[in-house]
Amino acid sequence: MSRICELTGKGRQVGHNVSHANNKTKKVFLPNLQHVTLLSEKLDRSFKFRVSTHGLRSVEHNGGLDNWLLKTKDEKLSDRALKVKRELKKVGKEAAAA
């Protein structure tokens, strides 16, 4: 399982551990990923995602999962998140047509 946030696309970063003697060794910085269940208000369902804590705060700041998915570019989202986004757009079109 890759260590990438499903909602923000945030992944690992590479850098150096630097000692007092200025010796540099490679280090990998991993995102703080959590398994969370997010509720979609429009679809009236819950979805499980593996999200970074930064991504979770961003979702809450934007007013929930529905608003976040509709505002975010498709390139950042995982396949599962894209599937939910398509369902949201479908429900939105049906509501607008009614």
Side-chain angles (χ1 to χ4, degrees):
M1 192 169 5
S2 62
R3 298 174 190 259
I4 296 176
C5 176
E6 292 188 82
L7 297 181
T8 61
K10 185 175 191 155
R12 70 183 199 137
Q13 292 183 322
V14 179
H16 287 103
N17 271 338
V18 180
S19 70
H20 185 67
N22 206 26
N23 297 329
K24 295 174 183 72
T25 56
K26 287 278 187 172
K27 177 181 173 128
V28 176
F29 297 94
L30 299 174
N32 184 7
L33 296 178
Q34 306 293 324
H35 293 279
V36 295
T37 303
L38 298 171
L39 182 67
S40 170
E41 295 171 0
K42 292 180 183 176
L43 298 175
D44 200 30
R45 287 179 46 201
S46 60
F47 298 95
K48 290 186 179 182
F49 291 111
R50 194 161 185 229
V51 183
S52 65
T53 52
H54 177 270
L56 191 57
R57 290 181 67 204
S58 299
V59 168
E60 291 177 5
H61 179 76
N62 281 294
L65 180 65
D66 298 342
N67 290 339
W68 173 261
L69 289 175
L70 293 174
K71 288 181 182 179
T72 307
K73 295 180 182 178
D74 291 351
E75 296 84 41
K76 286 187 174 185
L77 298 174
S78 68
D79 293 337
R80 291 180 10 179
L82 278 173
K83 186 177 177 183
V84 176
K85 183 175 181 177
R86 276 187 240 114
E87 287 182 41
L88 280 171
K89 286 184 176 180
K90 185 177 176 183
V91 168
K93 288 181 183 177
E94 290 173 359

